[in-house]
Amino acid sequence: MTRGNRPLSPHLQVYRPQLTSSLSILFRIMGVATSVGSLVLIWWLVAAASGAEYFEMVQSFLGSWFGRLMLFGWTLALVYHLCNGVRHLYWDAGKGMDLPSVHASGKAVVVVSLLLTLGLWVLAYSVGGA
Amino acid sequence: MSLRSPLARVRGLGSAREGSSHWWAQRLTSVALVPLVLWFVFSVAMMAGADYVEFIDWVRSPVVAGLLVLLISVGLLHSSQGMQVVIEDYIHGEFCKVVALFLSQSVHVVLGLTGVLSVLLILFRG
């Protein structure tokens, strides 16, 4: 396609990152990350269906520092995508679209995602020990 | 003045010939996934440190197995539709796009079947 000398829309880099645009692209990135992380969920279930020996091996990998780091990242991605998804459903209902509400709900999503993720991990450590 | 024929207008399917079905399915799956994901993450956190036997016993309750099958199928449908939108937005070459869409959806189908069959295997093996 020949574009000739027509004006281009400004590239994304010229904009100062804002809460709204950052949370928006983060929503998509975290969605993709959650999709990739679902591989681990399926692997875990396959391991459980394959028998005790293989399951214990997968468990010890997931329990290693690298496994825990990966699972923590997956939890954060999943929880953020969930919380911001609820925000999107609220918008789909036609509510909270004015700028002050959008900023308030954006900050709320960040705080709630962090609290929920940390809460889940505190719960897991208190149930299972280190 | 609209240039669309009355038949096209009444069908309301738009240029992609699928209307709003993809958009609507994404909304339905996201609503379903809110309770499913919350249930799953809290259950798994509560299972921390569980051994093989405890985990198998947990999956083998019909309610848990049913919810896991729902989580896997609805979650992977949501993931597949989401990845489809991402691929359509960022991959512009027609050939690459079609290949990427085919690969993504194939992987989702294989993962979904593998996950559901694993749960059923644990449930029925006795």
Side-chain angles (χ1 to χ4, degrees), chain B residues 13-19:
Chain B
L13 294 178
S15 60
R17 302 274 173 269
E18 60 164 36

Side-chain angles (χ1 to χ4, degrees), chain A residues 29-81:
Chain A
I29 294 169
M30 293 306 178
V32 174
T34 306
S35 292
V36 176
S38 68
L39 281 167
V40 175
L41 167 63
I42 302 296
W43 183 41
W44 193 48
L45 288 169
V46 168
S50 312
E53 204 176 320
Y54 189 53
F55 184 74
E56 298 294 348
M57 200 203 85
V58 172
Q59 284 287 76
S60 69
F61 169 73
L62 293 176
S64 68
W65 71 266
F66 180 72
R68 284 179 198 209
L69 187 68
M70 214 172 61
L71 287 178
F72 184 81
W74 189 60
T75 316
L76 190 59
L78 176 67
V79 166
Y80 173 76
H81 192 81

Side-chain angles (χ1 to χ4, degrees), chain B residues 16-106:
Chain B
R17 302 274 173 269
E18 60 164 36
S20 54
S21 58
H22 185 280
W23 185 90
W24 184 238
Q26 271 193 309
R27 268 53 192 182
L28 287 182
T29 51
S30 41
V31 170
L33 282 168
V34 173
L36 283 172
V37 167
L38 286 175
W39 162 78
F40 177 74
V41 290
F42 277 105
S43 306
V44 171
M46 293 295 287
M47 297 269 303
D51 62 16
Y52 175 72
V53 175
E54 287 169 313
F55 180 73
I56 292 293
D57 279 347
W58 177 68
V59 175
R60 280 176 49 195
S61 129
V63 174
V64 171
L67 288 174
L68 279 175
V69 168
L70 269 180
L71 175 74
I72 294 165
S73 46
V74 178
L76 284 171
L77 177 60
H78 186 82
S79 168
S80 169
Q81 292 200 308
M83 289 302 289
Q84 182 190 339
V85 173
V86 172
I87 290 167
E88 285 169 350
D89 278 356
Y90 300 131
I91 301 183
H92 300 305
E94 198 59 29
F95 179 75
C96 290
K97 184 167 75 183
V98 170
V99 170
L101 285 173
F102 174 76
L103 286 178
S104 164
Q105 301 198 349
S106 308

